[in-house]
Amino acid sequence: MSELRLMKGNEVVAEAAIRCGCDAYFGYPITPQSEVMETLMELQPWETSGMVVLQAESETASINMVYGAASAGKRVMTSSSSPGISLMAEGLSYLAGAELPCLVVDVSRGGPGLGTIQPSQADYFMATKGGGHGDFHLIVLAPASVQEMHDFVFLAFDLAFKYRNPAMILADGVIGQMMEKVQLHAPLPRRTDEEIARSSGSWAVTGKRNRRRNIITSVELDPAVHEKFNQKLQAKYAAIREQEVRYEELLCSDAEYLIAAYGISARIGQKAVELLRAEGVKAGLFRPITLFPFPAKEIAARAAQLKGILCVELSAGQMVEDVRLSVGNRLPVAHFGRNGGVIHSPSEVVEAMKKMIND
Amino acid sequence: MKEEIIIAGFGGQGVLSMGKILAYSGIMQDQEVTWMPSYGPEMRGGTANVTVILSDDRISSPIVHEFDTAIILNQQSLDKFEAAVKSGGLLLYDPNGITAPPTRTDVSIFTVAATEEAAKMGNAKVFNMLVLGAFLKAKPIVQLENVVKGLQKSLPERAHHLIPMNEQAILRGMEIVERRASA
């Protein structure tokens, strides 16, 4: 059924897209994620599954092509890195406003501005707090391995269609560029027009035939009507918060100190936990897998047994705000992170933890 | 078993592909592996390095700053990574172009004259396989049959006729590696 390979995180996004029956990819090259489109161009899925792969003239064009294909109920995706995602912000807001499912992959790099091509996790705010105007959320998944880069393509599309909401895979330059072994899912066929009409015909523009017409729009000039729509969106986000939280805990059952980290920082944090345990510090790792919805209740449930939480991110401190909101003033929450493309070492994380313990 | 390896040299020496073949060899013997390249505005003649980890257990961080083994293919990389080898670890280098040899006394030091040997063989492209052979003689962490399987997996079908030549180069590397007497 499945196949074992050694692949880069970026390459596997392309493989997974084809294998999950994706209908179209629109993108524009940018380091450190260019291998996504390069791999798609090499694999030429238009010859096999019929998937469309198109290099657009810009990120702005890509996200609007995604809007078009998503309107027709297609499984459609794009990928980029931080500055490119900024260019897509308007489109993301429109997709959320029109309740369109799609997948956006951000293999983030150091900012702000054109910044650096080296890894970073400074897009957390942009990804989880909107990333465009208006009251909206993307569903945000944070892979910490090449295998999860593969698995989350499938999961992101499932969630996007379940909630009619754009989903994002928020990775970083390390996860995109490194190779690990990966078990590939057996290829699934693309959905036929009839299947799309059956599953998404209540909202998608699939060709009218014998039903009332579907309209894809994010505009509503009557404030009373628009408030109701916003309330409906918020109810959807509440349901997502209730049902879709995912996280991983390592060595947490007897932990006194927690490292909270996602993506590559969770891998580095895990090594730091190993080193701290070897020195007799009861450390554990809490890894949010969904960044929206954030596992707020789950990390708060650990708080009673803990003496402190160290939030490790390749940023000046973004997720740490959600950790503080989750646990309140019950215990010290500190942040450690290199940024601007510099990657912290496990031993630097160990030192930061010891500093927190001694302060 | 867990082995954390840095391979470092010039772009174009086959640093990244040597790492990939080593990682695939690990997969062939059911190990967990990570392969993390330096990336950047790099080009042929610039520096290139890759961290490869092979382990019997789940690998935590693919980013490490200390290594069990350093495979060093130019002076810049020696300057950068000599101090990063763990005490008791292994440092393998090609003396070609090395003007300031390593001075560590707490690590095992091996040399392989791979540049010279590849020139004698009239095939600069097998350079990295000579080095890989030298490493596997000094530290046999993967079996040769698994390296050959690794080559089959990492090379495209159209290059499979080159596998015997690469295998020859690995065997030759095993012959010419030398342990440097401790200082």
Side-chain angles (χ1 to χ4, degrees):
Chain A
M1 277 295 281
S2 57
E3 201 180 323
L4 196 61
R5 294 237 205 114
L6 179 71
M7 294 182 85
K8 280 190 178 195
N10 289 336
E11 294 168 345
V12 93
V13 166
E15 271 283 355
I18 298 168
R19 285 166 185 262
C20 81
C22 187
D23 295 299
Y25 172 96
F26 304 107
Y28 188 80
I30 181 171
T31 306
Q33 67 75 55
S34 294
E35 293 89 350
V36 177
M37 188 160 42
E38 285 169 14
T39 305
L40 284 167
M41 291 296 182
E42 256 172 53
L43 295 172
Q44 306 188 357
W46 54 89
E47 299 285 352
T48 49
S49 76
M51 176 183 174
V52 171
V53 182
L54 191 123
Q55 178 174 335
E57 67 270 35
S58 69
E59 289 85 348
T60 313
S62 306
I63 197 71
N64 285 294
M65 290 175 183
V66 167
Y67 186 103
S71 301
K74 300 287 185 182
R75 285 189 161 218
V76 56
M77 68 178 289
T78 184
S79 64
S80 189
S81 180
S82 312
I85 301 291
S86 289
L87 282 168
M88 294 183 187
E90 179 196 52
L92 290 170
S93 175
Y94 277 60
L95 281 152
E99 295 201 85
L100 291 173
C102 67
L103 168 60
V104 177
V105 180
D106 179 4
V107 182
S108 60
R109 62 189 238 180
L114 203 50
T116 170
I117 60 176
Q118 297 301 323
S120 166
Q121 295 180 304
D123 291 1
Y124 180 90
F125 284 154
M126 179 167 72
T128 62
K129 312 294 178 194
H133 61 281
D135 269 333
F136 79 94
H137 284 289
L138 308 172
I139 297 166
V140 184
L141 304 172
S145 66
V146 175
Q147 185 68 53
E148 284 189 343
M149 278 290 250
H150 169 275
D151 298 349
F152 289 0
V153 170
F154 289 75
L155 177 60
F157 273 120
D158 287 350
L159 293 174
F161 274 88
K162 182 174 175 186
Y163 293 100
R164 277 186 62 191
N165 201 70
M168 174 179 276
I169 293 178
L170 180 61
D172 53 72
V174 180
I175 303 290
Q177 289 295 325
M178 76 171 173
M179 287 200 209
E180 291 187 302
K181 67 179 177 186
V182 58
Q183 199 93 45
L184 296 175
H185 196 290
L188 302 173
R190 287 173 52 229
R191 291 181 304 166
T192 62
D193 288 350
E194 291 70 29
E195 285 166 338
I196 291 172
R198 249 199 320 278
S199 59
S200 305
S202 63
W203 57 269
V205 284
T206 56
K208 185 165 161 267
R209 296 193 189 90
N210 302 312
R211 57 163 168 79
R212 70 173 179 81
R213 64 186 183 149
N214 289 331
I215 299 172
I216 305 288
T217 181
S218 65
V219 66
E220 176 49 66
L221 296 179
D222 180 342
V225 176
H226 200 47
E227 185 181 44
K228 279 215 165 55
F229 171 72
N230 266 277
Q231 286 163 349
K232 185 187 140 199
L233 273 189
Q234 292 306 317
K236 175 165 85 175
Y237 301 143
I240 293 172
R241 282 194 179 96
E242 202 54 50
Q243 292 163 34
E244 304 300 344
V245 166
R246 286 166 172 81
Y247 63 101
E248 182 185 28
E249 292 183 316
L250 284 171
L251 301 173
C252 282
S253 58
D254 68 337
E256 293 177 346
Y257 295 94
L258 213 58
I259 290 176
Y262 68 96
I264 186 56
S265 283
R267 298 286 293 272
I268 295 166
Q270 191 191 335
K271 179 105 179 176
V273 166
E274 290 165 12
L275 297 170
L276 285 161
R277 287 262 168 185
E279 292 184 34
V281 178
K282 286 189 176 169
L285 176 76
F286 187 95
R287 174 171 80 95
I289 291 172
T290 48
L291 301 182
F292 182 86
F294 187 76
K297 281 185 226 158
E298 292 72 13
I299 196 162
R302 281 279 167 212
Q305 77 184 64
L306 297 173
K307 294 178 182 168
I309 299 176
L310 181 68
C311 199
V312 179
E313 308 168 68
L314 290 173
S315 74
Q318 300 195 4
M319 186 179 80
V320 65
E321 293 192 2
D322 282 335
V323 175
R324 287 195 178 118
L325 278 174
S326 305
V327 303
N329 294 323
R330 278 176 280 181
L331 73 166
V333 177
H335 163 265
F336 174 74
R338 303 293 299 266
N339 50 44
V342 178
I343 306 172
H344 29 241
S345 69
S347 50
E348 282 177 313
V349 176
V350 168
E351 289 313 307
M353 177 62 97
K354 285 183 183 165
K355 186 172 178 298
M356 186 185 78
I357 292 171
N358 294 327
D359 277 354
Chain B
M1 188 292 256
K2 180 153 118 186
E3 183 77 13
E4 295 171 332
I5 304 162
I6 179 86
I7 309 172
F10 290 122
Q13 280 180 317
V15 165
L16 301 185
S17 61
M18 189 197 325
K20 191 174 169 187
I21 290 160
L22 193 55
Y24 250 126
S25 310
I27 291 178
M28 293 302 129
Q29 46 193 42
D30 286 330
Q31 287 175 313
E32 299 300 322
V33 301
T34 61
W35 176 99
M36 178 62 207
S38 62
Y39 70 89
E42 284 164 18
M43 55 187 170
R44 191 171 294 268
T47 58
N49 69 70
V50 61
T51 302
V52 177
I53 305 176
L54 276 67
S55 172
D56 293 335
D57 303 310
R58 173 172 158 169
I59 297 167
S60 51
S61 179
I63 308 280
V64 289
H65 290 67
E66 287 189 295
F67 306 93
D68 299 302
T69 292
I71 300 174
I72 301 295
L73 303 174
N74 65 14
Q75 184 68 51
Q76 291 96 314
S77 301
L78 183 59
D79 296 343
K80 192 168 174 189
F81 293 111
E82 181 179 355
V85 183
K86 293 177 195 169
S87 189
L90 184 153
L91 195 164
L92 167 70
Y93 71 100
D94 182 342
N96 180 58
I98 297 291
T99 51
T103 56
R104 292 272 299 266
T105 53
D106 61 335
V107 298
S108 308
I109 297 180
F110 289 82
T111 59
V112 58
T115 308
E116 194 184 303
E117 188 66 23
K120 273 191 217 161
M121 292 167 79
N123 187 352
K125 285 184 180 163
V126 298
F127 167 79
N128 63 347
M129 292 299 98
L130 289 161
V131 177
L132 180 61
F135 167 60
L136 293 177
K137 175 74 176 181
K139 217 176 215 181
I141 55 165
V142 288
Q143 292 168 354
L144 187 59
E145 61 180 83
N146 290 323
V147 180
V148 175
K149 282 189 206 161
L151 279 165
Q152 282 164 355
K153 287 285 269 184
S154 60
L155 293 174
E157 198 97 354
R158 63 175 187 277
H160 276 195
H161 67 282
L162 300 172
I163 291 173
M165 186 178 76
N166 282 287
E167 196 181 347
Q168 288 296 312
I170 291 168
L171 291 169
R172 185 66 189 140
M174 289 178 164
E175 286 168 12
I176 61 171
V177 64
E178 284 179 29
R179 187 181 185 124
R180 212 180 73 174
S182 48

